[in-house]
Structure formats: C-alpha cells, structure tokens
C-alpha cells in the first residue's frame, strides 16, 4: 500500500548495526571520507536506523569538500524517524543557520524542543535557541511560547514513517477542531486543508477519506466529495454513514441510479 515500506527483519537490523559500528566515524575529514560508504550501506540495509542517518549527516558535513545538501537530507531523515531526539533537530537548525535560512532554523529548533523526549536537555537547548533569537533581534521566548510556536509550524516528512505520522497528526487536529465549540476561523480553515494533505500522505485510511468527503460536501464540491466517499467505502464497506453520505452527494450530482445503489448498500449492512 502507498505510504508503507517493506518490513526490516531483525537480522537486517543487526547487520546494519554491525556495518554502522564498523564505519568508525570521527570528527576529521579523512575519517569522514572513509566512513561515508559504510554509513550509506548501513542506511540501505536498514532505512529505519536513525542514528546511522544522523552519523552520515555528520560525515558528509566533515568531509572535504563537504556535501552540505547530502548532510541536510540525511539529518532530515533522522529527525523524521525519531522526532523525539532533540540532537537531530539541533543539527538541522545549525545547518539552516549556516545557510542563512533564519525562519527554517527557528522553526526546526522549536519543533525539536517541543518534541523532545528527554527533558534533561531542553533547558540547555532553549538557552542556545534564545541566544540565536537575540542575535536576530528577536525577544527571548519561554518554553511555553516555544511550544505554542511549534504548534503553528509545519514539517514536511521525507520518510514513509514520517508521512504516516504527519497524516495522523493532521487528522487528529481536524477532529479536535471539528468538535470544538468555538474554533478559531483561521485554524478551522487550515484544518480543512490539512485533511486534504493527510489523504495525500496516507491514502490508505478510510476515515481520512470520509472526513475529506464531508469537507468537500459541505463546500458543495460534490464531485470531489463523491470521489472521496467512494474511496472510503472501497477501503471499509461496513460503515453505513459513509454509504448514506455517498448516496447524498450522488443525488446532488443527479446520479440517481448510483445514489440508490449506495443507499441500498447502507440498508444491507447488519
């Protein structure tokens, strides 16, 4: 299915770890150049080995001449695989700083601090983050403010796992907004757009497609709504409400035979 990757066997993981350890990377240009092929091999054997990807990023940035684009790509994959690892995000923020991309540096740092699984290093990272903000003429931010900023940031996933996780986040955010008594208008509109992105990232989830169908129907975009509902019931034909909704939009499209078939499918369910 789209959005998935072949399962890595325990044997592959062990082999990849062995290759990764044998690379022997150290922070020196000659070491970086000699270790890079082994690190690449480790990521090929086990594409889910975040530490191998992160070390590959370091090796690419240390070799002469440095491969900064390749280093950035490897670091993005590492952060995508383990978003709770603050070090990966800090590396990315540093790379964006070096490129002079202030907004990307700040947003990456904010996401790292907000996602950090080990809180022991958050205060230290927050201090470096605020030092950079001051250098850029920006006020110091509290941890709560950084987390609020991170909630407004978007992260474009580059791995299959990251895409599935991002799709789920967008779906949960939309469902929360939809059930809110008085949602912010701008956030609500962004949530609607987010469901379209969720379906693009993971088209295998029937509930995402059904929500997209609801959104399209409420906008009177009945053709796209019908398409979304048809895909939803194809993935999970046992949801009566989706068949009824599909029948409704088909009726709006003046496709009465199709609407009757959909409603009959709904009635046939136990």
């Amino acid at each position: 299915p789209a959005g998935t990757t072949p399962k890595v066997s325990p044997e592959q993981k062990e082999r990849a770890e062995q290759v990764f350890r044998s690379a022997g990377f150290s922070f020196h240009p000659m070491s970086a150049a000699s270790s890079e092929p082994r690190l690449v091999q480790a990521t090929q054997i086990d594409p889910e080995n975040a530490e191998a990807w992160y070390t590959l990023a370091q090796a690419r940035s240390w070799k002469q001449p440095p491969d900064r684009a390749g280093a950035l790509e490897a670091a993005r994959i590492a952060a995508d695989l383990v978003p709770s690892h603050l070090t990966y995000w800090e590396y990315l923020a540093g790379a964006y700083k070096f490129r002079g991309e202030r907004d990307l540096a700040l947003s990456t740092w904010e996401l790292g601090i907000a996602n950090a699984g080990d809180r022991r290093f958050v205060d230290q990272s927050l201090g470096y983050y605020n030092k950079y903000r001051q250098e850029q003429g920006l006020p110091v931010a509290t941890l709560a403010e950084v987390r609020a900023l991170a909630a407004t940031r978007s992260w474009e996933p580059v791995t299959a796992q990251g895409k599935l996780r991002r799709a789920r986040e967008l779906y949960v955010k939309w469902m929360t907004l939809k059930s809110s008594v008085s949602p912010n208008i701008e956030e609500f509109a962004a949530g609607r757009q987010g469901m379209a992105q969720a379906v693009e990232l993971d088209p295998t989830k029937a509930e995402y497609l059904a929500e997209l169908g609801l959104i399209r129907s409420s906008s009177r975009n009945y053709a796209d709504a019908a398409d979304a509902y048809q895909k939803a019931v194809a993935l999970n034909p046992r949801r009566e409400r989706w068949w009824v909704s599909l029948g409704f939009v088909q009726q709006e499209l003046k496709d009465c035979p199709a609407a009757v078939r959909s409603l009959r499918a709904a009635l046939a369910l136990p």
Side-chain angles (χ1 to χ4, degrees), residues 80-81 155-169 201:
D80 217 31
L81 290 168
W155 170 252
E156 296 302 325
V158 292
T159 66
Q161 297 94 319
K163 289 177 181 179
L164 297 180
R165 184 172 55 248
R166 177 63 177 153
R168 183 69 184 174
E169 289 172 356
L201 292 169

Side-chain angles (χ1 to χ4, degrees), residues 14 95 233 235 256:
E14 183 178 355
V233 296
L235 289 167
C256 293

Side-chain angles (χ1 to χ4, degrees), residues 58-259:
Q58 293 178 305
R60 285 174 170 171
S61 63
W62 270 89
K63 72 177 187 177
Q64 293 298 325
D67 177 7
R68 302 200 186 281
L72 189 63
E73 177 189 24
R76 278 178 58 87
I77 293 172
D80 217 31
L81 290 168
V82 187
S84 61
H85 202 312
L86 180 54
T87 302
Y88 301 162
W89 295 97
E90 288 178 327
Y91 179 94
L92 278 170
Y96 288 128
K97 278 174 58 180
F98 183 84
R99 290 156 60 109
E101 299 183 60
R102 187 189 78 166
D103 290 345
L104 276 173
L106 289 170
S107 62
T108 302
W109 219 328
E110 289 152 8
L111 286 165
I113 291 172
N115 289 323
D118 191 336
R119 297 298 173 186
R120 294 176 298 172
F121 303 110
V122 169
D123 288 342
Q124 182 182 45
S125 188
L126 181 63
Y128 291 136
Y129 163 81
N130 274 319
K131 182 179 179 181
Y132 179 61
R133 283 181 65 89
Q134 289 177 307
E135 290 171 357
Q136 301 302 310
L138 298 171
V140 169
T142 65
L143 180 56
E145 288 170 335
V146 170
R147 287 173 175 162
L149 284 168
T152 68
R153 305 299 192 185
S154 62
W155 170 252
E156 296 302 325
V158 292
T159 66
Q161 297 94 319
K163 289 177 181 179
L164 297 180
R165 184 172 55 248
R166 177 63 177 153
R168 183 69 184 174
E169 289 172 356
L170 291 167
Y171 172 71
V172 171
K173 183 177 182 179
W174 163 246
M175 297 302 287
T176 302
L177 286 167
K178 195 173 74 165
S179 62
S180 176
V181 177
S182 54
N184 177 279
I185 295 176
E186 291 181 357
E187 288 183 0
F188 194 78
R192 290 166 64 97
Q193 294 175 352
M195 278 313 305
Q197 185 185 358
V199 168
E200 289 179 7
L201 292 169
D202 185 4
T204 68
K205 288 290 190 296
E207 58 266 36
Y208 300 175
L209 286 157
E211 287 300 320
L212 183 61
L214 175 64
I215 291 168
R216 295 291 186 252
S217 177
S218 66
S219 301
R220 298 190 178 185
N221 185 350
Y222 297 121
D224 286 348
D227 180 67
Y229 278 127
Q230 284 170 339
K231 290 175 180 176
V233 296
L235 289 167
N236 184 357
R238 304 192 63 80
R239 295 294 292 272
E240 178 184 349
R241 179 166 54 86
W242 297 351
W243 281 110
V244 172
S245 297
L246 175 57
F248 167 77
V249 296
Q250 287 169 331
Q251 183 179 2
E252 292 293 326
L253 291 168
K254 310 302 182 186
D255 189 351
C256 293

